Amino acid sequence: EIVLTQSPGTLSLSPGERATLSCRASQSVSSSYLAWYQQKPGQAPRLLIYGASSRATGIPDRFSGSGSGTDFTLTISRLEPEDFAVYYCQQYGSSPLTFGPGTKVDIK
Amino acid sequence: QVQLQESGPGLVKPSQTLSLTCTVSGGSISSGDYYWSWIRQPPGKGLEWIGYIYYSGSTYYNPSLKSRVTISVDTSKNQFSLKLSSVTAADTAVYYCARSDTAMVGLIFDYWGQGTLVTVSS
């Protein structure tokens, strides 16, 4: 099973700032089959990025994903008030699919 | 717009079987265009994929839960269901149903239900 580690655990930033979130896999994620989700309190996760760098339908272009192999990054170029949430990475290249523990982006 | 809605008891006793149903509206499970999954999230913790079913009834489960999980589908009601046997307090979680497009490579969850909290307690 591929174990995903996310860092930092919490990221404290101000609106307008750039957020850089890391997801590291215990072994290579085949074909960059990595996704990112956003979850707000009391809500289900929302798909942001798949295939490491493809934005899902309706996702603003301030969200971008990059990386390959074992190291992946989600970047939010300029934080909007609605972006303060928990972000999870998910690998779907190997069975069973697994999620990372999450990074919380909160308001500084 | 597709919608998924979980339903079932919010409280289950230890050693009993947890049973939940996901009702899909705005689209047909029988279309064959999607896989239908269950995912859970213990309070304050991360996400764990439980397993999926296809409209034909074929299933795939997370090996960590495989011995206790059964997912079934009722295409006439546009529903799919989860049964988790021999539950303990560690099975307390918000349970989500979710959809994955078969046109995509791998399981990526583009639509989710709102989730339902199931507490295991005597």
Side-chain angles (χ1 to χ4, degrees):
Chain A
E1 173 175 314
I2 293 180
V3 177
L4 299 177
T5 303
Q6 291 187 243
S7 60
T10 301
L11 194 55
S12 297
L13 295 168
S14 300
E17 289 193 295
R18 181 184 188 91
T20 303
L21 287 66
S22 174
C23 177
R24 179 162 290 177
S26 60
Q27 53 189 286
S28 184
V29 176
S30 62
S31 303
S32 296
Y33 290 149
L34 188 108
W36 290 92
Y37 297 82
Q38 175 194 69
Q39 187 178 35
K40 297 179 181 180
Q43 296 185 16
R46 177 174 71 141
L47 177 65
L48 299 175
I49 301 286
Y50 63 93
S53 61
S54 298
R55 273 188 299 276
T57 303
I59 301 304
D61 61 7
R62 65 179 180 273
F63 291 92
S64 63
S66 63
S68 64
T70 60
D71 290 298
F72 299 87
T73 300
L74 175 70
T75 301
I76 310 171
S77 59
R78 295 172 309 279
L79 282 164
E80 297 288 340
E82 62 268 27
D83 298 337
F84 292 92
V86 179
Y87 292 83
Y88 294 96
C89 57
Q90 176 220 335
Q91 69 80 22
Y92 51 100
S94 298
S95 182
L97 67 89
T98 50
F99 292 90
T103 289
K104 182 178 183 180
V105 179
D106 67 13
I107 299 177
K108 188 173 183 180
Chain B
Q1 171 111 353
V2 67
Q3 292 187 318
L4 292 79
Q5 178 68 57
E6 305 88 351
S7 59
L11 181 63
V12 180
K13 288 181 167 49
S15 81
Q16 294 191 340
T17 295
L18 177 160
S19 296
L20 295 174
T21 295
C22 182
T23 301
V24 179
S25 58
S28 173
I29 286 180
S30 298
S31 71
D33 293 334
Y34 304 101
Y35 297 110
W36 305 93
S37 285
W38 287 97
I39 297 160
R40 69 180 183 178
Q41 184 173 36
K45 296 187 178 180
L47 299 155
E48 180 179 32
W49 173 72
I50 299 170
Y52 77 73
I53 192 164
Y54 191 50
Y55 83 101
S56 61
S58 62
T59 55
Y60 191 84
Y61 302 138
N62 189 324
S64 68
L65 295 167
K66 185 177 181 179
S67 64
R68 298 194 292 130
V69 172
T70 302
I71 298 177
S72 58
V73 65
D74 186 337
T75 55
S76 67
K77 294 182 178 179
N78 223 32
Q79 296 175 335
F80 62 106
S81 298
L82 168 70
K83 291 188 184 299
L84 181 65
S85 63
S86 306
V87 297
T88 69
D91 295 310
T92 293
V94 174
Y95 286 75
Y96 295 100
C97 54
R99 184 190 87 167
S100 300
D101 191 335
T102 58
M104 304 292 286
V105 179
L107 290 178
I108 309 161
F109 307 106
D110 59 356
Y111 279 92
W112 298 62
Q114 66 185 26
T116 187
L117 175 63
V118 179
T119 301
V120 178
S121 174
S122 56

